Structure formats: structure tokens, C-alpha cells
């Protein structure tokens, strides 16, 4: 059985257990909302390269670049897990000092929940070259869907400079206003949708130690609610991952570095018992970390 771990506070575990839900926050309300646009910048670089360096396909490069301007994180909600339990950087980064908890969930149950709801459970991609390859592959597949130029590349190369410019203008007009517009629009719309789905998986490679996975809820069925953040209201939805009568999803709770681990463990055990989750395993962090 594989596990994924969610680091939280004492307030967080009370909310998760009592509501049988975990919060997924709107992508633009994350601590670093620039993450979503990380992949878009790669796609724009690819499109700009085609537009500027390959006159034969400049109409395609222009169409992709133009369409990417409309890609947004509307109705996209995310919640995070780690492959790694009892990880020092996670205690430091995502838990209050001396009061953190790590909840271990059965990843197969999380996957089943996502399939049922039409969401995705995906591993984050950290390596820069892997990210670039994913974008290049999508752009290549989009090009295969895009209307083909009326001339072959060899025929284009045989044209004079003036004829090549006329060809490029005509190709762009055909795909932006003329008879090939519907096919061209469908191709770039597909690309934008695929990039919007891929974008939440991209993270800066400096965070690779976290080994993060995310539930990605696009246009969630759950009611959107709001919580107070440091300087704004953050929209979120509650994903009912513990709704089944017989718990199989929450398997473990790790008591983080804490000045009174024994008392904290006893209180968490009482919470689990009174909410019908007394089969959940409890253990204490083994890290000699003092931050209180």
C-alpha cells in the first residue's frame, strides 16, 4: 500500500476529521501563485521561437502565442501531499512551530476519489528539462492538429524573400480569418486546455525534496467557500475524501516535533476515537528538532 502525506496544524486536523474533508485552495490564492504561470512561460518561449525563427510556421507560432494569453487558473483548485513522512523541511514550511501533524493517506483511495469526482491526482514535475519536454511534446501534437501550410517546406525555401513574406501573410490569414480558422482554433484551444491541466504539476526544481503530489480539481462540484488569508480572502472547496462509513483512506497520524508529544498524541487519539477513526495508527516524529 502506497501512502501520501499531508502536513497540517492542530486546527487543520480538527477541520479535516470533523468535516471528513481536506481543503483545496484556488490556484491563484496559493502562497506562490506564480507557479501556475511557470509552464505558460515555457510554452510562450516555444511559440515565440517558432514565430521569430521559422517563417514557414510563423502562422502557427503566432496563433499559439496569441491563444496562450487567454489561459487562466479560473475554477482550478489544488491540495498538496508529499511522498515523504516526517520530513524536516515540511515541518518547517507547512506547520506551526511545535504543533505540527502529518496525516498519512492511502494513495489508492485518493486516486479512487479523484476518478469518481472527475479530478486528477498527479505528481509534481521538478526537473527543468522534463518540464520543457512536456511542453514541446504538447506543442508538437498541436502542430499535427493545425492546418497544414499550402506549400511544402522545400517549396517555401525555393521562393524569393518577397514571395516567402506573401506566403506567411496568406497562411496567417487563412488560419486566423479564412477557411482554415475553425481547424486552427480547435488545435490551439486543445493546446491551451492541455497546458492548463499540466501547469499545476510544474514546480521549481529547488523544491524537489518535497516530492509533492497534488489533487487538481478543475471546475469542482463542491461549493466554493472562503477563508481569511494574510491579506486577502482565499477561495477553497472541501474535498470529502473521508466520507465513506468505513475509513480506509486515513491510515496514519505522525505527531510532529513538539514540546509535549505525549500529551499531543493522547489528544489526537481521543479525537480519532470520538469520530470513529480509532483504527488510525499514531506515532511520533523521530526528528530532534526544537523550534519553540
Amino acid at each position: 500500500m502506497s501512502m501520501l502525506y499531508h502536513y497540517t496544524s492542530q486546527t487543520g486536523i480538527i477541520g479535516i476529521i470533523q468535516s471528513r474533508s481536506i481543503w483545496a485552495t484556488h490556484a491563484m490564492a496559493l502562497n506562490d501563485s506564480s507557479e501556475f504561470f511557470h509552464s505558460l512561460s515555457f510554452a510562450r518561449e516555444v511559440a515565440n521561437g517558432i514565430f521569430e525563427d521559422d517563417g514557414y510556421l510563423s502562422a502557427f507560432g503566432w496563433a499559439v502565442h496569441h491563444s496562450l494569453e487567454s489561459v487562466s487558473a479560473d475554477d482550478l483548485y489544488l491540495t498538496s501531499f508529499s511522498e515523504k513522512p516526517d520530513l524536516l523541511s515540511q515541518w518547517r514550511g507547512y506547520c506551526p512551530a511545535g504543533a505540527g501533524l502529518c496525516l498519512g493517506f492511502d494513495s489508492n483511495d485518493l486516486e479512487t476519489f479523484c476518478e469518481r469526482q472527475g479530478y486528477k491526482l498527479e505528481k509534481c514535475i521538478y526537473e527543468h528539462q522534463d518540464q520543457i519536454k512536456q511542453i514541446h511534446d504538447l506543442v508538437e501534437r498541436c502542430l499535427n492538429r493545425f492546418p497544414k501550410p499550402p506549400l511544402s517546406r522545400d517549396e517555401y525555401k525555393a521562393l524569393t524573400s518577397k514571395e516567402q513574406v506573401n506566403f506567411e501573410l496568406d497562411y496567417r490569414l487563412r488560419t486566423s480569418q479564412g477557411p482554415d480558422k475553425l481547424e486552427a482554433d480547435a488545435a490551439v484551444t486543445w493546446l491551451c486546455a492541455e497546458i492548463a491541466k499540466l501547469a499545476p504539476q510544474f514546480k521549481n526544481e529547488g523544491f524537489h525534496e518535497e516530492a509533492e503530489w497534488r489533487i487538481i480539481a478543475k471546475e469542482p462540484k463542491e461549493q466554493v467557500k472562503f477563508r481569511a488569508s494574510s491579506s486577502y480572502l482565499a477561495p477553497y472547496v472541501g474535498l470529502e475524501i473521508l466520507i465513506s462509513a468505513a475509513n480506509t483512506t486515513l491510515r496514519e497520524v505522525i505527531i510532529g516535533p513538539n514540546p509535549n508529544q505525549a500529551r499531543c498524541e493522547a489528544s489526537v487519539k481521543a479525537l480519532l476515537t470520538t469520530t470513529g477513526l480509532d483504527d488510525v495508527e499514531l506515532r511520533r516524529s523521530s526528528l530532534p528538532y526544537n523550534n519553540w
Side-chain angles (χ1 to χ4, degrees), residues 116-133:
R116 185 171 65 245
Q117 295 296 106
Y119 305 150
K120 299 196 316 178
L121 177 64
E122 299 287 352
K123 185 174 183 177
C124 287
I125 302 167
Y126 295 95
E127 292 295 331
H128 183 73
Q129 290 305 314
D130 290 343
Q131 295 173 350
I132 292 292
K133 182 180 185 303

Side-chain angles (χ1 to χ4, degrees), residues 17 25 27 32 75 85 100 142 152 167 176 204 211 214 258 280 290:
I17 297 302
T25 302
D32 184 4
D75 293 325
C142 179
S152 70
F167 165 85
S176 62
N204 186 287
R214 287 177 167 177
N258 187 305
V280 175
N290 185 331

Side-chain angles (χ1 to χ4, degrees), residues 8-17 21 101 103:
T8 189
S9 64
Q10 293 178 14
T11 300
I13 192 175
I14 292 172
I16 291 169
I17 297 302
S21 302
L101 297 159
L103 280 58

Side-chain angles (χ1 to χ4, degrees), residues 20-72:
R20 294 296 202 262
S21 302
I22 195 166
W23 287 0
T25 302
H26 194 284
M28 299 310 297
L30 296 174
N31 290 338
D32 184 4
S33 59
S34 65
E35 286 181 358
F36 178 81
F37 299 101
H38 192 48
S39 62
L40 297 185
S41 65
F42 294 157
R44 290 192 185 102
E45 289 175 12
V46 173
N48 289 343
I50 294 172
F51 177 67
E52 295 171 1
D53 302 330
D54 189 350
Y56 180 65
L57 294 176
S58 63
F60 171 71
W62 180 86
V64 170
H65 178 85
H66 180 73
S67 295
L68 287 173
E69 296 298 327
S70 64
V71 176
S72 71

